[in-house]
Amino acid sequence: MLDQDNIDIELKKFKDYVIQQSRSNLTKGRTPFGSYNFTKSLYNSIKGDSKAYPRSYLLSFSMEEHGSYQDQGVRGKTSSIKAPNSPFKFGTGTGKKGGLTTGIKKWVRAKRFQFKNRETGKFMSYDSTALLIARSIYNKGLKPTLFFTKPFNNAFKRLPEEMVKRLGMDVDRLFKYSLKQPKR
């Protein structure tokens, strides 16, 4: 039988596992340009809180706003092929103007990444390269990395069956309410 202390311990294990695996996924990455953990700001911002009460529980996670976009992807303005199930979409007017371009410019400069001009063979400026990349991302969207979603679902599968039944947990509801979503 699970008592309140055992539930508290299980929730803490759940929280710690999700945070550790999410950070690990960010560091490993799967891009040709390295990890998803460029500035470490998202890595350091992943936090969690858990607490068991007699008839309920508290489980919450928070991270920087762009973490949700990176995890779930973003549908593009003209195409949603990369992230068809994402709740986020470029071009809705809710985001910060120029935010994507500014972030891409910083990334391009730090990685010293430049395209070549097809006609002249010379390297383009960092700003031109960033503009082309940002335009492509804006139109085509961002593919979901699931760096947070996969560890969350795996941790849920590891919870004791008795606890899931007792607290009436459902993975979709738990995910929706435990991750603080960015304001749209």
Side-chain angles (χ1 to χ4, degrees):
M1 179 91 184
L2 287 172
D3 61 352
Q4 189 171 341
D5 291 336
N6 289 342
I7 291 174
D8 205 23
I9 290 168
E10 288 297 325
L11 285 175
K12 184 176 178 342
K13 282 185 198 174
F14 181 94
K15 174 193 68 150
D16 292 342
Y17 176 82
V18 170
I19 291 171
Q20 186 270 327
Q21 288 297 307
S22 297
R23 288 178 172 176
S24 176
N25 288 346
L26 276 176
T27 303
K28 289 177 189 171
R30 300 233 186 310
T31 70
F33 307 109
S35 74
Y36 302 120
N37 194 26
F38 176 60
T39 63
K40 291 196 175 36
S41 63
L42 180 56
Y43 179 97
N44 293 330
S45 74
I46 299 173
K47 308 240 184 303
D49 189 25
S50 64
K51 180 76 175 136
Y53 298 103
R55 294 184 179 257
S56 65
Y57 60 92
L58 166 75
L59 180 64
S60 66
F61 295 96
S62 62
M63 66 179 94
E64 286 190 358
E65 183 179 11
H66 72 277
S68 294
Y69 306 138
Q70 197 168 342
D71 181 57
Q72 297 175 10
V74 182
R75 290 178 286 150
K77 174 79 172 170
T78 59
S79 170
S80 62
I81 196 77
K82 287 191 177 183
N85 301 324
S86 175
F88 310 112
K89 181 178 181 179
F90 285 117
T92 58
T94 56
K96 186 173 93 175
K97 298 285 184 206
L100 176 63
T101 308
T102 306
I104 298 295
K105 278 183 186 177
K106 287 179 186 176
W107 179 81
V108 165
R109 283 188 189 279
K111 292 284 186 178
R112 301 185 54 83
F113 186 76
Q114 291 175 293
F115 290 140
K116 275 190 175 180
N117 186 325
R118 288 183 182 167
E119 296 162 6
T120 62
K122 293 181 179 179
F123 285 107
M124 293 180 169
S125 69
Y126 290 125
D127 289 344
S128 297
T129 300
L131 187 65
L132 290 172
I133 293 171
R135 185 172 60 192
S136 176
I137 291 171
Y138 181 82
N139 286 322
K140 296 179 184 175
L142 284 174
K143 185 178 174 185
T145 62
L146 304 176
F147 77 91
F148 182 83
T149 303
K150 283 183 180 179
F152 188 92
N153 290 336
N154 289 341
F156 187 81
K157 289 176 189 171
R158 294 172 50 183
L159 283 175
E161 192 66 34
E162 183 182 348
M163 184 174 159
V164 173
K165 286 180 184 175
R166 179 172 171 199
L167 297 177
M169 290 183 186
D170 169 9
V171 72
D172 293 330
R173 262 191 357 197
L174 183 62
F175 184 78
K176 182 179 177 184
Y177 293 110
S178 65
L179 180 63
K180 294 176 183 166
Q181 298 290 331
K183 295 175 186 164
R184 292 187 220 166

